[in-house]
Amino acid sequence: MTDAKKPDRGQLRIDVDECKGCGLCIEACPPKVISMSERLNHYGYRTAIYGGAGCTGCGICFMICPEPGAITVLRLASKCVGLAAEANAAGQEAASCASN
């Protein structure tokens, strides 16, 4: 199975109002699904953004982030991983399976 076909095991939410654009999460992310935005937040910082797919739910970005509340990692329950892949293919969100 290639990386592109693996189902997501997690999902990231990045609060652009809290992110200061330090880039620590980008460097620490094993699957490299976080990048720097071209847009500025209201403080004038370029912020981190989630690519939308490929998150493993490991939480390393959350642990390394110096800003409390800037990153939230949602891990999909193992029984919901297949459902999440199906929902992504159908353009739906599997929010009912998300948990911390």
Side-chain angles (χ1 to χ4, degrees):
M1 198 178 237
T2 64
D3 288 340
K5 293 184 181 181
K6 288 184 181 178
D8 291 346
R9 293 179 287 180
Q11 183 177 12
L12 289 182
R13 293 191 181 150
I14 299 174
D15 185 346
V16 297
D17 294 330
E18 294 292 326
C19 180
K20 302 301 186 279
C22 68
L24 291 174
C25 59
I26 296 168
E27 295 297 321
C29 182
K32 302 297 182 199
V33 295
I34 307 172
S35 61
M36 194 63 71
S37 171
E38 294 298 321
R39 300 180 68 195
L40 302 176
N41 67 6
H42 69 280
Y43 293 115
Y45 297 116
R46 288 180 56 208
T47 61
I49 56 170
Y50 172 49
C55 179
T56 61
C58 68
I60 294 173
C61 57
F62 172 80
M63 298 300 290
I64 202 159
C65 182
E67 293 298 321
I71 297 177
T72 304
V73 177
L74 302 171
R75 290 188 186 149
L76 298 177
S78 61
K79 67 180 181 178
C80 294
V81 169
L83 295 175
E86 292 173 15
N88 283 339
Q92 301 170 347
E93 194 172 312
S96 62
C97 296
S99 65
N100 279 344

